[in-house]
Coordinates of all heavy atoms in Angstrom, one line a residue:
V1 N 23.3 3.7 86.4 CA 23.6 3.6 85.0 C 24.0 2.2 84.7 O 24.8 1.6 85.5 CB 24.8 4.6 84.6 CG1 25.2 4.4 83.2 CG2 24.4 6.0 84.9
K2 N 23.4 1.6 83.7 CA 23.8 0.2 83.3 C 25.0 0.3 82.4 O 25.1 1.1 81.5 CB 22.7 -0.4 82.5 CG 21.5 -0.7 83.4 CD 20.4 -1.4 82.5 CE 19.1 -1.5 83.3 NZ 18.1 -2.1 82.5
S3 N 26.0 -0.5 82.7 CA 27.3 -0.4 82.0 C 27.6 -1.7 81.4 O 27.5 -2.8 82.0 CB 28.4 0.1 82.9 OG 29.6 0.1 82.2
S4 N 28.1 -1.7 80.2 CA 28.6 -2.9 79.5 C 29.9 -2.7 78.8 O 30.2 -3.4 77.9 CB 27.5 -3.5 78.6 OG 27.3 -2.5 77.5
H5 N 30.6 -1.6 79.2 CA 31.8 -1.2 78.5 C 33.0 -1.8 79.2 O 33.0 -2.0 80.4 CB 31.9 0.3 78.4 CG 30.8 0.9 77.5 ND1 31.0 0.9 76.1 CD2 29.6 1.3 77.7 CE1 29.9 1.5 75.6 NE2 29.1 1.7 76.6
H6 N 34.1 -2.0 78.4 CA 35.4 -2.4 79.0 C 36.4 -1.2 79.0 O 37.5 -1.4 79.3 CB 35.9 -3.6 78.3 CG 36.3 -3.3 76.8 ND1 35.3 -3.3 75.8 CD2 37.4 -3.0 76.2 CE1 35.8 -3.0 74.7 NE2 37.1 -2.8 74.9
Q7 N 35.9 0.0 78.5 CA 36.8 1.1 78.5 C 36.1 2.2 79.4 O 34.9 2.1 79.7 CB 36.9 1.7 77.1 CG 37.5 0.7 76.1 CD 37.6 1.2 74.7 OE1 36.6 1.9 74.3 NE2 38.6 0.8 74.0
G8 N 36.9 3.2 79.7 CA 36.3 4.3 80.5 C 37.1 5.6 80.3 O 38.1 5.6 79.5
V9 N 36.7 6.6 81.1 CA 37.4 7.9 81.0 C 38.7 7.8 81.8 O 38.7 7.4 83.0 CB 36.5 9.0 81.6 CG1 37.2 10.3 81.6 CG2 35.2 9.1 80.8
G10 N 39.8 8.3 81.2 CA 41.0 8.3 81.9 C 41.2 9.6 82.7 O 41.1 9.7 83.9
T11 N 41.3 10.7 82.0 CA 41.4 12.0 82.5 C 40.3 12.9 82.0 O 40.0 13.0 80.8 CB 42.8 12.7 82.1 OG1 43.8 11.8 82.6 CG2 42.9 14.0 82.8
V12 N 39.6 13.6 82.9 CA 38.5 14.4 82.5 C 39.1 15.7 82.0 O 39.9 16.4 82.7 CB 37.5 14.7 83.7 CG1 36.5 15.7 83.4 CG2 36.9 13.4 84.2
G13 N 38.6 16.2 80.9 CA 39.2 17.4 80.3 C 38.8 18.7 81.1 O 37.8 18.7 81.8
A14 N 39.6 19.7 80.9 CA 39.4 21.0 81.6 C 38.0 21.5 81.3 O 37.5 21.5 80.1 CB 40.4 22.0 81.1
G15 N 37.3 21.9 82.3 CA 36.0 22.5 82.2 C 34.8 21.5 82.2 O 33.7 21.9 82.3
L16 N 35.1 20.2 82.0 CA 34.1 19.2 82.1 C 33.7 18.8 83.5 O 34.5 18.9 84.4 CB 34.5 18.0 81.3 CG 34.8 18.2 79.8 CD1 35.2 16.9 79.2 CD2 33.6 18.7 79.1
V17 N 32.4 18.5 83.7 CA 31.9 18.1 85.0 C 31.4 16.7 85.0 O 30.7 16.3 84.1 CB 30.7 19.1 85.4 CG1 30.2 18.7 86.7 CG2 31.2 20.5 85.4
E18 N 31.9 15.9 85.9 CA 31.4 14.5 86.0 C 30.0 14.5 86.6 O 29.7 15.2 87.5 CB 32.3 13.8 87.0 CG 33.8 13.8 86.6 CD 34.7 13.1 87.6 OE1 34.2 12.7 88.7 OE2 35.9 13.1 87.3
T19 N 29.1 13.8 85.9 CA 27.7 13.8 86.2 C 27.0 12.5 86.4 O 25.8 12.4 86.8 CB 26.9 14.7 85.2 OG1 27.1 14.1 83.9 CG2 27.3 16.1 85.2
A20 N 27.6 11.4 86.0 CA 27.0 10.1 86.1 C 28.0 9.0 86.3 O 29.1 9.0 85.8 CB 26.2 9.8 84.9
W21 N 27.6 8.0 87.2 CA 28.5 7.0 87.6 C 27.8 5.6 87.5 O 26.6 5.6 87.8 CB 29.1 7.2 89.0 CG 30.0 8.4 89.1 CD1 31.3 8.5 89.0 CD2 29.5 9.7 89.3 NE1 31.7 9.8 89.1 CE2 30.6 10.6 89.3 CE3 28.3 10.3 89.4 CZ2 30.6 11.9 89.5 CZ3 28.2 11.7 89.6 CH2 29.3 12.5 89.6
A22 N 28.5 4.6 87.2 CA 28.0 3.2 87.2 C 28.0 2.8 88.7 O 28.6 3.4 89.5 CB 28.8 2.3 86.4
V23 N 27.3 1.7 88.9 CA 27.3 1.1 90.3 C 28.7 0.8 90.8 O 28.9 1.0 92.0 CB 26.4 -0.2 90.3 CG1 26.5 -0.9 91.6 CG2 25.0 0.1 89.9
D24 N 29.6 0.4 89.9 CA 31.0 0.1 90.4 C 31.8 1.4 90.6 O 33.0 1.3 90.9 CB 31.6 -0.8 89.4 CG 31.9 -0.2 88.0 OD1 31.6 1.0 87.8 OD2 32.4 -1.0 87.2
G25 N 31.2 2.6 90.4 CA 31.9 3.8 90.6 C 32.6 4.4 89.4 O 33.2 5.5 89.4
S26 N 32.6 3.7 88.2 CA 33.3 4.2 87.0 C 32.4 5.3 86.5 O 31.2 5.3 86.5 CB 33.5 3.1 86.0 OG 32.3 2.5 85.6
L27 N 33.1 6.3 86.0 CA 32.5 7.5 85.4 C 31.8 7.2 84.1 O 32.4 6.6 83.2 CB 33.6 8.6 85.2 CG 33.1 9.9 84.6 CD1 32.0 10.6 85.4 CD2 34.3 10.8 84.4
E28 N 30.6 7.6 83.9 CA 29.8 7.3 82.7 C 29.1 8.5 82.1 O 28.4 8.4 81.1 CB 28.9 6.2 82.9 CG 29.6 4.9 83.2 CD 28.9 3.6 82.8 OE1 27.6 3.7 82.9 OE2 29.5 2.6 82.5
G29 N 29.2 9.7 82.7 CA 28.6 10.8 82.2 C 29.4 12.1 82.4 O 29.9 12.3 83.5
L30 N 29.5 12.9 81.4 CA 30.2 14.2 81.5 C 29.4 15.3 80.9 O 28.6 15.0 80.0 CB 31.6 14.2 80.8 CG 32.6 13.2 81.2 CD1 33.6 13.0 80.2 CD2 33.2 13.6 82.5
E31 N 29.5 16.5 81.4 CA 28.8 17.7 80.8 C 29.8 18.8 80.7 O 30.7 18.9 81.5 CB 27.6 18.1 81.6 CG 26.5 17.0 81.6 CD 25.3 17.4 82.4 OE1 24.9 18.6 82.3 OE2 24.7 16.5 83.0
D32 N 29.6 19.7 79.8 CA 30.3 21.0 79.7 C 29.4 22.1 80.0 O 28.6 22.5 79.2 CB 30.9 21.2 78.3 CG 31.8 22.4 78.2 OD1 31.7 23.3 79.1 OD2 32.6 22.5 77.2
P33 N 29.4 22.6 81.2 CA 28.4 23.7 81.6 C 28.6 25.0 80.9 O 27.7 25.8 80.9 CB 28.7 23.8 83.1 CG 30.1 23.3 83.4 CD 30.3 22.3 82.3
S34 N 29.7 25.2 80.2 CA 29.9 26.4 79.4 C 29.2 26.4 78.1 O 29.1 27.4 77.4 CB 31.4 26.7 79.2 OG 31.9 25.8 78.3
K35 N 28.7 25.2 77.7 CA 27.9 25.1 76.4 C 26.4 24.9 76.6 O 26.0 24.6 77.7 CB 28.4 23.8 75.7 CG 29.9 23.8 75.5 CD 30.4 24.8 74.6 CE 31.9 24.6 74.4 NZ 32.6 25.8 73.9
R36 N 25.7 25.2 75.6 CA 24.2 25.1 75.7 C 23.8 23.7 76.0 O 22.9 23.4 76.8 CB 23.6 25.5 74.4 CG 23.5 27.0 74.2 CD 22.8 27.3 72.9 NE 21.4 26.9 73.0 CZ 20.5 27.7 72.5 NH1 20.7 28.9 72.0 NH2 19.2 27.3 72.6
F37 N 24.4 22.7 75.3 CA 24.0 21.3 75.5 C 25.2 20.5 75.0 O 25.4 20.2 73.8 CB 22.8 21.0 74.6 CG 22.2 19.7 75.0 CD1 21.2 19.6 75.9 CD2 22.6 18.5 74.4 CE1 20.6 18.4 76.3 CE2 22.0 17.3 74.7 CZ 21.0 17.2 75.7
A38 N 26.0 20.1 76.0 CA 27.2 19.3 75.7 C 27.3 18.2 76.7 O 27.6 18.4 77.9 CB 28.5 20.1 75.7
V39 N 26.9 17.0 76.3 CA 26.8 15.9 77.2 C 27.5 14.7 76.5 O 27.4 14.4 75.3 CB 25.3 15.5 77.4 CG1 25.2 14.2 78.3 CG2 24.5 16.6 77.9
G40 N 28.3 14.0 77.3 CA 29.0 12.8 76.9 C 28.6 11.7 77.8 O 28.6 11.8 79.0
V41 N 28.2 10.5 77.2 CA 27.8 9.4 78.0 C 28.6 8.1 77.5 O 28.9 8.0 76.4 CB 26.3 9.1 77.9 CG1 25.5 10.3 78.5 CG2 25.8 8.8 76.5
L42 N 28.8 7.3 78.5 CA 29.5 6.0 78.2 C 28.6 4.8 78.5 O 28.9 3.9 79.1 CB 30.8 5.9 79.0 CG 32.0 6.5 78.4 CD1 31.9 8.0 78.5 CD2 33.2 6.0 79.0
W43 N 27.3 5.0 78.2 CA 26.3 3.9 78.3 C 25.4 4.0 77.1 O 25.6 4.9 76.2 CB 25.6 3.9 79.6 CG 24.5 5.0 79.7 CD1 23.2 4.8 79.4 CD2 24.6 6.3 80.2 NE1 22.4 5.9 79.7 CE2 23.3 6.9 80.2 CE3 25.6 7.1 80.7 CZ2 23.0 8.2 80.6 CZ3 25.3 8.3 81.2 CH2 24.1 8.9 81.1
H44 N 24.5 3.2 77.0 CA 23.6 3.1 75.8 C 22.2 3.6 76.2 O 21.3 2.8 76.5 CB 23.5 1.7 75.2 CG 24.8 1.2 74.8 ND1 25.4 1.5 73.6 CD2 25.7 0.3 75.4 CE1 26.6 0.9 73.5 NE2 26.8 0.2 74.6
P45 N 22.0 4.9 76.1 CA 20.7 5.5 76.5 C 19.6 5.0 75.6 O 18.4 4.9 76.1 CB 20.9 7.0 76.4 CG 22.1 7.2 75.6 CD 22.9 6.0 75.7
A46 N 19.9 4.6 74.4 CA 18.8 4.1 73.5 C 18.3 2.7 74.0 O 17.2 2.3 73.7 CB 19.4 3.9 72.1
M47 N 19.1 2.0 74.8 CA 18.7 0.7 75.3 C 17.8 0.8 76.6 O 17.2 -0.2 77.0 CB 19.9 -0.1 75.6 CG 20.7 -0.5 74.4 SD 22.2 -1.4 74.7 CE 21.5 -2.9 75.3
E48 N 17.7 2.0 77.1 CA 16.9 2.2 78.3 C 15.5 2.5 77.9 O 15.1 3.7 77.8 CB 17.5 3.4 79.2 CG 18.9 3.1 79.6 CD 19.0 2.0 80.6 OE1 18.1 1.7 81.4 OE2 20.0 1.3 80.5
E49 N 14.7 1.5 77.7 CA 13.3 1.7 77.1 C 12.4 2.6 78.0 O 11.6 3.3 77.5 CB 12.7 0.3 76.9 CG 13.3 -0.5 75.8 CD 12.7 -1.8 75.6 OE1 11.5 -1.9 76.0 OE2 13.3 -2.7 75.1
D50 N 12.7 2.5 79.3 CA 11.8 3.3 80.2 C 12.3 4.7 80.5 O 11.7 5.4 81.3 CB 11.6 2.5 81.6 CG 10.9 1.2 81.4 OD1 10.2 1.1 80.4 OD2 11.2 0.3 82.2
D51 N 13.5 5.1 80.0 CA 14.0 6.3 80.4 C 14.6 7.0 79.1 O 15.7 6.8 78.7 CB 15.1 6.2 81.4 CG 15.6 7.5 82.0 OD1 15.1 8.5 81.5 OD2 16.4 7.4 82.9
K52 N 13.8 7.9 78.6 CA 14.2 8.6 77.3 C 14.6 10.1 77.6 O 14.6 10.9 76.7 CB 13.1 8.5 76.3 CG 12.8 7.1 75.9 CD 13.9 6.5 75.2 CE 13.5 5.1 74.7 NZ 14.7 4.2 74.4
R53 N 14.9 10.4 78.9 CA 15.1 11.8 79.3 C 16.3 12.4 78.5 O 16.2 13.6 78.2 CB 15.4 11.9 80.8 CG 14.1 11.6 81.6 CD 14.4 11.7 83.1 NE 15.2 10.6 83.4 CZ 15.8 10.4 84.6 NH1 15.5 11.3 85.6 NH2 16.5 9.4 84.9
L54 N 17.3 11.7 78.2 CA 18.5 12.3 77.5 C 18.0 12.7 76.1 O 18.3 13.8 75.7 CB 19.6 11.3 77.4 CG 20.9 11.8 76.8 CD1 21.4 13.0 77.4 CD2 21.9 10.7 76.7
F55 N 17.3 11.8 75.4 CA 16.8 12.2 74.1 C 15.8 13.3 74.1 O 15.7 14.2 73.3 CB 16.2 10.9 73.4 CG 17.3 9.9 73.2 CD1 17.3 8.7 73.9 CD2 18.2 10.1 72.2 CE1 18.3 7.8 73.7 CE2 19.2 9.1 72.0 CZ 19.2 8.0 72.7
E56 N 14.9 13.3 75.1 CA 13.9 14.3 75.2 C 14.6 15.7 75.5 O 14.1 16.7 74.9 CB 12.9 14.0 76.4 CG 12.0 12.8 76.1 CD 11.3 12.3 77.3 OE1 11.6 12.7 78.4 OE2 10.4 11.4 77.1
A57 N 15.6 15.7 76.3 CA 16.3 16.9 76.5 C 17.0 17.4 75.3 O 17.0 18.6 75.0 CB 17.4 16.7 77.7
L58 N 17.6 16.5 74.5 CA 18.3 16.9 73.2 C 17.2 17.5 72.3 O 17.5 18.5 71.7 CB 18.9 15.7 72.6 CG 19.6 15.9 71.2 CD1 20.6 17.0 71.3 CD2 20.1 14.6 70.7
V59 N 16.1 16.9 72.1 CA 15.1 17.4 71.2 C 14.6 18.7 71.7 O 14.4 19.6 70.9 CB 13.9 16.3 71.1 CG1 12.7 17.0 70.3 CG2 14.4 15.1 70.3
A60 N 14.3 18.9 73.0 CA 13.8 20.2 73.5 C 14.9 21.3 73.2 O 14.5 22.4 72.8 CB 13.6 20.0 75.0
E61 N 16.1 21.0 73.4 CA 17.2 22.0 73.2 C 17.3 22.3 71.7 O 17.4 23.5 71.3 CB 18.5 21.5 73.7 CG 19.6 22.5 73.5 CD 19.4 23.9 74.1 OE1 18.7 24.0 75.1 OE2 19.8 24.9 73.5
A62 N 17.1 21.3 70.8 CA 17.2 21.6 69.4 C 16.0 22.5 69.0 O 16.2 23.4 68.2 CB 17.1 20.2 68.6
R63 N 14.8 22.2 69.6 CA 13.7 23.1 69.2 C 13.9 24.5 69.7 O 13.6 25.5 69.0 CB 12.4 22.5 69.9 CG 11.9 21.3 69.2 CD 10.7 20.7 69.8 NE 10.2 19.6 68.9 CZ 9.6 18.5 69.4 NH1 9.4 18.4 70.7 NH2 9.2 17.6 68.6
R64 N 14.5 24.7 70.9 CA 14.7 26.0 71.4 C 15.7 26.7 70.5 O 15.6 27.9 70.2 CB 15.3 26.0 72.9 CG 14.2 25.8 73.9 CD 14.8 26.0 75.3 NE 15.7 25.0 75.7 CZ 15.4 23.8 76.2 NH1 14.1 23.5 76.4 NH2 16.3 22.9 76.5
Y65 N 16.8 26.0 70.1 CA 17.8 26.6 69.3 C 17.2 27.0 67.9 O 17.5 28.1 67.4 CB 18.9 25.5 69.1 CG 20.0 26.0 68.2 CD1 21.0 26.9 68.7 CD2 20.1 25.6 66.9 CE1 22.1 27.3 67.9 CE2 21.1 26.1 66.0 CZ 22.1 26.9 66.5 OH 23.1 27.3 65.7
R66 N 16.4 26.1 67.3 CA 15.8 26.5 66.1 C 14.9 27.7 66.2 O 14.9 28.6 65.3 CB 15.0 25.3 65.5 CG 14.3 25.6 64.2 CD 13.5 24.4 63.7 NE 12.4 24.2 64.7 CZ 11.6 23.1 64.7 NH1 11.8 22.1 63.8 NH2 10.7 22.9 65.5
A67 N 14.1 27.8 67.3 CA 13.2 28.9 67.5 C 14.0 30.2 67.6 O 13.5 31.2 67.2 CB 12.3 28.7 68.7
E68 N 15.1 30.1 68.3 CA 16.0 31.3 68.4 C 16.6 31.8 67.1 O 16.7 32.9 66.8 CB 17.1 31.1 69.4 CG 16.5 31.0 70.9 CD 17.6 30.6 71.8 OE1 18.8 30.6 71.5 OE2 17.3 30.3 73.0
R69 N 17.0 30.8 66.3 CA 17.7 31.1 65.0 C 16.7 31.4 63.9 O 17.0 32.2 63.0 CB 18.5 29.8 64.6 CG 19.5 29.4 65.5 CD 20.8 30.1 65.3 NE 21.2 29.9 63.9 CZ 22.4 30.1 63.4 NH1 23.4 30.3 64.3 NH2 22.7 30.0 62.2
H70 N 15.5 30.9 64.0 CA 14.5 31.1 62.9 C 13.2 31.3 63.6 O 12.3 30.5 63.6 CB 14.4 29.8 62.0 CG 15.7 29.5 61.4 ND1 16.3 30.2 60.4 CD2 16.6 28.5 61.7 CE1 17.4 29.6 60.1 NE2 17.6 28.6 60.9
P71 N 13.0 32.5 64.2 CA 11.7 32.8 64.8 C 10.5 32.8 63.8 O 10.7 33.1 62.7 CB 11.8 34.2 65.4 CG 13.3 34.6 65.1 CD 13.9 33.6 64.2
A72 N 9.4 32.3 64.3 CA 8.2 32.3 63.5 C 7.8 33.7 63.1 O 7.9 34.6 63.9 CB 7.1 31.6 64.3
P73 N 7.3 33.9 61.9 CA 6.9 35.2 61.5 C 5.7 35.7 62.2 O 4.9 35.1 62.8 CB 6.6 35.1 60.0 CG 6.5 33.6 59.7 CD 7.1 32.9 60.9

């Protein structure tokens, strides 16, 4: 993970899982496995031109959610 922040996570909240770290070991990604799609990041995924997996996953989940809420006739 590329990091350019001067702040970080102090205490991880109950139920959250640490999932990504910077080269220096600082925590930069959290997820809540009890939710359909709950991801917190402390980097700039939009700046990663070659890696759009986070955005692709968000769009895929939004499409699944919409299909479940509003099935095609």
Side-chain angles (χ1 to χ4, degrees):
V1 177
K2 294 181 184 176
S3 179
S4 61
H5 293 276
H6 63 279
Q7 298 175 328
V9 175
T11 303
V12 176
L16 298 178
V17 177
E18 300 175 1
T19 56
W21 296 264
V23 174
D24 67 5
S26 58
L27 178 61
E28 294 206 332
L30 298 164
E31 295 181 36
D32 184 343
S34 71
K35 308 292 183 202
R36 284 180 68 134
F37 193 91
V39 178
V41 297
L42 275 74
W43 78 90
H44 299 281
M47 295 176 67
E48 301 295 326
E49 294 180 21
D50 297 334
D51 190 356
K52 300 297 182 196
R53 290 178 293 175
L54 182 59
F55 295 106
E56 290 166 354
L58 175 61
V59 170
E61 180 57 31
R63 287 181 175 147
R64 281 191 293 275
Y65 180 80
R66 181 182 61 193
E68 290 173 10
R69 300 273 308 200
H70 305 285

